[in-house]
Amino acid sequence: KSAPPSSMDLSAILPWIPRGSLESLVASSVTSASPIAIQDLLSAVPTNGRWRFEIDGKKKKKHAPVKSGPQRVNTGLFDGVDNALMLNIFSYLKCSERYKCVTEVCKGFRDFKTSMPGLFMDLSDDGWGRRGLTASQLLVLMDWIPNLGDVTALRISTQDKCNPSTCKLIIKMLVAAKKNAKQPMISKLVLQGPKIYGSLLAEITKYQVGQNLTSLHFVSVKTTNQTKLGGSIVDFFRSLPRLEELHMPQDLATIAGSMSKTILNPLSSARSGSSTLLRVLRLIGGSYSFRRFSIMELFKIGTLAPELEVLRLQAVSGCPTNATIAHLSPMASLPKLRDFAVGQLVESCAYRRAPQYLSTKTVHSVLTWLLAGMPSVETFAFRHGTTSMSRVDEKSFRYPPLPSILPPGEEILWPRTLKHLMLSNLDLENSTFASNMEMPESVETILLKDCGNKADAIADGLRVTYPGVRVTIDKCSNKRVNENWS
């Protein structure tokens, strides 16, 4: 017999061979009375593990980390890709994915931390999971980033056990890095979770973090006695002269009594009384809230926010009655508005009384009034909404019929720019889309959601009259409501 492989070679290879394969090699060696060659051992190593060994069975030496330049070693096809192209590839990944690539792929990739200054400029995405990085984890990440002063966007995500002082420390760390690097403040900020307190907003206002802010998102922020956001948020908005995009819960948007007092007036004050620069305003959530955006505030929103392109309201109140419709003043025009949505015109629930829905005349007047102030709107979503009752109340009260949008003898003039129309929680008549409400040629899609038993017939008529328009029906899933008003 020839000598077996050296103990050094065996110690390097044996741990990577599956037990079954090793037993088969031993049995074959005994049967054939021949030694096990190193090449046989290498062949028994799974394909994805053979790269660790040289042809003689010795374990490869570890490569030294790449210290500078675009050179990479043993990263496959990525060896020949320069940093500019790699940065472009990484730009399609979320922050958490970029972090994993730099820290876990290989040592050559770790050099990207310093050789790609723009790799971690945006720390605002939601790629860290449903709740994002905790505030403590964000502190660790900010300490790891070599060029923190170049960061342009930030997300502060809090959870129930988060210490509010940690959030303040994040702001101080960011401000210090910006000051040392002599860089402007961030342009985007996302504040998320139940521990966004008024004291944090005061800290942001104190250090003028919002002086260059153009995009602001409040995600799952609670308005409670503990968070104390009332006065702090008004002062915060007074420090945002360049804000263009705002996403926030409806409860928070009306915390000072109205949206004008909470948002629009303070933003105008930040610009010395001039109109705001807001282009996007989305009030999310809050359909069950006691604080609702009053539809009457739309009278002057065009004066304070004439640049609005997107306006989405979750739930509104204060729709005019039949007695006050005749005195409804024209809405201030929003000439640049392209996307509008209103999600709920009536209360969400009724207790020990019957629900109250708007009349067809009121709905028509509100629709006409809104469209008159939006001459360039392209996407228009209008939802009347429904009111729920408990099963006990359902035995004593009935659901009222849902209204239509077109009283007899009336008409609706849709803007010539309209492309996408969505109507919901209405009871449309067969004559709704007759000749007295002709759709413009620009229309591409029509969605009728919970629009009554005649919706199918209406959709068939629309498809014949407008063959180039995609008409979709989405029927109501609430059978109890259907049974009462159908």
Side-chain angles (χ1 to χ4, degrees):
K1 290 185 179 181
S2 59
S6 68
S7 59
M8 180 184 298
D9 297 332
L10 286 174
S11 64
I13 298 175
L14 290 180
W16 300 97
I17 302 176
R19 180 174 178 175
S21 299
L22 191 59
E23 289 176 348
S24 297
L25 282 175
V26 173
S28 176
S29 175
V30 172
T31 302
S32 63
S34 61
I36 302 174
I38 290 180
Q39 190 58 45
D40 294 333
L41 292 173
L42 283 174
S43 299
V45 176
T47 305
N48 60 0
R50 294 177 188 173
W51 61 271
R52 296 182 173 89
F53 307 99
E54 303 287 357
I55 194 170
D56 60 355
K58 295 181 179 179
K59 196 169 184 179
K60 289 183 179 180
K61 295 181 179 179
K62 295 182 179 180
H63 292 287
V66 178
K67 295 183 179 180
S68 62
Q71 183 181 3
R72 286 177 288 282
V73 180
N74 287 339
T75 62
L77 297 177
F78 289 108
D79 284 1
V81 181
D82 60 33
N83 280 0
L85 184 54
M86 286 296 297
L87 181 59
N88 186 47
I89 294 172
F90 284 143
S91 67
Y92 291 93
L93 303 179
K94 292 186 176 181
C95 187
S96 60
E97 296 167 333
R98 297 195 299 269
Y99 179 75
K100 288 183 179 179
C101 285
V102 172
T103 58
E104 299 179 12
V105 171
C106 65
K107 290 184 178 179
F109 273 37
R110 293 179 188 176
D111 183 57
F112 294 151
K113 172 183 175 181
T114 53
S115 63
M116 294 184 183
L119 194 58
F120 294 98
M121 293 180 65
D122 187 347
L123 303 180
S124 67
D125 66 44
D126 58 353
W128 303 95
R130 184 174 65 89
R131 293 191 175 185
L133 281 177
T134 64
S136 299
Q137 291 170 332
L138 178 60
L139 275 177
V140 175
L141 179 63
M142 292 172 68
D143 186 58
W144 176 84
I145 294 174
N147 53 327
L148 182 59
D150 294 332
V151 168
T152 60
L154 183 68
R155 175 186 291 260
I156 301 179
S157 180
T158 66
Q159 298 179 10
D160 291 332
K161 296 181 180 180
C162 176
N163 186 340
S165 298
T166 305
C167 300
K168 297 180 185 178
L169 187 57
I170 290 173
I171 297 300
K172 292 179 180 179
M173 189 173 180
L174 175 68
V175 171
K178 289 289 185 180
K179 185 176 181 180
N180 292 335
K182 298 182 179 180
Q183 293 291 332
M185 281 297 173
I186 55 176
S187 59
K188 180 180 180 180
L189 178 62
V190 181
L191 300 175
Q192 179 178 353
K195 289 302 181 73
I196 298 299
Y197 284 10
S199 57
L200 173 61
L201 298 184
E203 197 81 358
I204 296 173
T205 304
K206 173 184 175 181
Y207 289 106
Q208 299 182 339
V209 176
Q211 59 186 343
N212 292 318
L213 211 61
T214 59
S215 179
L216 175 62
H217 297 240
F218 289 92
V219 181
S220 302
V221 175
K222 296 182 178 181
T223 54
T224 65
N225 293 332
Q226 187 180 19
T227 56
K228 298 180 181 179
L229 292 169
S232 299
I233 196 167
V234 173
D235 291 338
F236 178 42
F237 280 124
R238 289 196 185 107
S239 67
L240 309 179
R242 301 183 181 182
L243 192 65
E244 298 180 9
E245 181 179 1
L246 177 60
H247 302 243
M248 65 189 306
Q250 191 155 279
D251 278 354
L252 194 56
T254 54
I255 196 171
S258 67
M259 189 189 69
S260 297
K261 294 179 180 179
T262 308
I263 302 173
L264 297 180
N265 291 337
L267 288 179
S268 178
S269 298
R271 298 180 52 78
S272 302
S274 301
S275 59
T276 71
L277 300 180
L278 273 180
R279 294 185 301 102
V280 177
L281 177 57
R282 293 176 182 265
L283 303 186
I284 56 180
S287 60
Y288 290 87
S289 170
F290 291 102
R291 294 195 193 105
R292 287 196 173 194
F293 175 86
S294 173
I295 197 170
M296 295 296 102
E297 289 195 68
L298 290 175
F299 277 120
K300 55 184 178 181
I301 195 171
T303 304
L304 294 174
E307 303 296 321
L308 270 180
E309 299 175 11
V310 177
L311 176 59
R312 289 188 163 263
L313 311 173
Q314 180 66 22
V316 300
S317 62
C319 288
T321 63
N322 291 336
T324 60
I325 283 176
H327 306 288
L328 201 62
S329 301
M331 172 182 163
S333 179
L334 291 167
K336 298 183 179 181
L337 194 68
R338 298 289 183 269
D339 185 339
F340 175 80
V342 57
Q344 182 96 354
L345 297 176
V346 296
E347 58 189 355
S348 299
C349 57
Y351 181 63
R352 292 185 178 179
R353 59 181 175 81
Q356 296 180 345
Y357 289 169
L358 303 182
S359 67
T360 297
K361 181 179 180 181
T362 298
V363 170
H364 173 262
S365 297
V366 171
L367 257 178
T368 304
W369 179 71
L370 289 172
L371 292 171
M374 306 171 186
S376 302
V377 71
E378 297 178 0
T379 300
F380 188 86
F382 184 87
R383 180 173 179 265
H384 173 270
T386 58
T387 303
S388 64
M389 290 189 291
S390 67
R391 292 194 178 273
V392 174
D393 287 343
E394 283 181 346
K395 296 177 181 179
S396 304
F397 306 102
R398 293 180 59 84
Y399 287 98
L402 288 168
S404 183
I405 61 174
L406 196 65
E410 298 290 349
E411 64 178 2
I412 294 179
L413 299 177
W414 300 103
R416 292 300 166 185
T417 55
L418 185 65
K419 293 182 180 180
H420 309 285
L421 173 65
M422 193 276 278
L423 300 175
S424 180
N425 297 139
L426 298 163
D427 189 11
L428 301 181
E429 300 292 338
N430 285 328
S431 59
T432 299
F433 291 92
S435 58
N436 60 336
M437 197 172 73
E438 182 178 355
M439 303 304 297
E441 296 180 358
S442 59
V443 173
E444 299 175 4
T445 63
I446 297 176
L447 171 61
L448 304 179
K449 184 175 182 181
D450 179 21
C451 284
N453 295 331
K454 301 170 186 175
D456 288 322
I458 294 172
D460 291 339
L462 285 170
R463 294 184 184 110
V464 173
T465 308
Y466 307 102
V469 178
R470 186 172 76 253
V471 182
T472 306
I473 300 295
D474 187 355
K475 295 186 178 179
C476 179
S477 59
N478 190 337
K479 295 182 179 179
R480 288 186 290 153
V481 175
N482 271 339
E483 291 169 355
N484 282 278
W485 62 259
S486 61

